[in-house]
Amino acid sequence: MDRNTPHYASVKTRIKGYGRLSGSLDSQPVFRGFTGMKKHPAEDLDDSKVPEWLKVYVTELDRKLDQLLGIQSKKDLKQDFPINLEIMKISGNGMTFRSEDNIRPGIMEVVMEIQQIPLRLAGAKGNVKAAKKAGYWVMTFEKIREHDLESIIQFVFSEQRELIRTEKLG
């Protein structure tokens, strides 16, 4: 790693991921993702004269719709990304994973489940090579959108905070 490449903190985890082999780093990614809204639509109701019970109802309805859309999105995702991954360690630079599927060194596009409910995904493209530990693979992120990188970094910080909390309580 050269001095110009940023180094990100990593965290051990066990999140799901999906992959597909890719011909080149420059080819158009299959996963486009969703950049997300800056604020929740229900926040617009705060300044309105809508009754509080209706705001709660609409917010809960929105959450349930997010869950249903997440389930449908996962089904579609498995068609485009047939390789199942179990991500064991992740950072903004890359990840370590294992898979029951046939993996070979090369270029791979992956989608990671950063959060299950509501479903939050991040995608990246990069080089895959065998890890030192048998059955494990290492992927260095070469092409990643800023939004996806930010999601991964937020996930890592959140996991680190949770680890600190559990260590203090334990």
Side-chain angles (χ1 to χ4, degrees):
M1 178 185 306
D2 65 44
R3 293 188 184 274
N4 297 332
T5 304
H7 178 71
Y8 298 100
S10 64
V11 66
K12 290 182 180 179
T13 188
R14 290 195 59 189
I15 60 174
K16 286 184 178 186
Y18 308 94
R20 66 184 267 301
L21 299 176
S22 182
S24 119
L25 287 172
D26 297 324
S27 64
Q28 198 68 1
V30 173
F31 178 73
R32 294 286 186 180
F34 175 64
T35 57
M37 294 175 273
K38 300 299 178 205
K39 66 177 187 171
H40 194 279
E43 290 178 21
D44 289 337
L45 297 175
D46 290 342
D47 297 331
S48 69
K49 295 184 181 189
V50 174
E52 189 62 33
W53 66 268
L54 186 56
K55 289 183 212 175
V56 171
Y57 177 77
V58 169
T59 303
E60 189 63 23
L61 186 63
D62 183 62
R63 188 180 67 77
K64 288 179 181 177
L65 284 171
D66 282 345
Q67 288 176 346
L68 292 172
L69 289 171
I71 291 168
Q72 184 61 42
S73 296
K74 282 175 73 169
K75 289 178 185 174
D76 293 342
L77 197 62
K78 288 181 181 183
Q79 289 176 351
D80 291 334
F81 294 85
I83 301 171
N84 290 315
L85 311 174
E86 183 179 11
I87 301 166
M88 308 307 284
K89 188 175 182 182
I90 191 167
S91 77
N93 293 347
M95 64 183 196
T96 302
F97 66 93
R98 64 182 177 189
S99 178
E100 299 288 322
D101 296 310
N102 188 17
I103 307 274
R104 66 178 195 272
I107 298 169
M108 183 181 270
E109 181 180 354
V110 297
V111 177
M112 300 147 276
E113 277 187 29
I114 301 298
Q115 187 175 328
Q116 290 180 331
I117 298 175
L119 186 63
R120 200 167 108 202
L121 304 170
K125 245 183 176 181
N127 291 310
V128 174
K129 61 182 179 182
K132 293 176 184 174
K133 190 173 179 182
Y136 285 74
W137 297 88
V138 176
M139 178 178 178
T140 306
F141 298 148
E142 302 289 335
K143 296 276 185 171
I144 185 166
R145 291 183 3 209
E146 190 67 32
H147 174 76
D148 292 334
L149 178 60
E150 185 65 32
S151 293
I152 292 169
I153 292 169
Q154 286 176 1
F155 172 77
V156 170
F157 285 151
S158 174
E159 291 293 304
Q160 287 176 331
R161 281 194 304 268
E162 187 63 32
L163 183 63
I164 290 168
R165 281 189 202 111
T166 56
E167 285 177 355
K168 283 185 177 181
L169 296 175

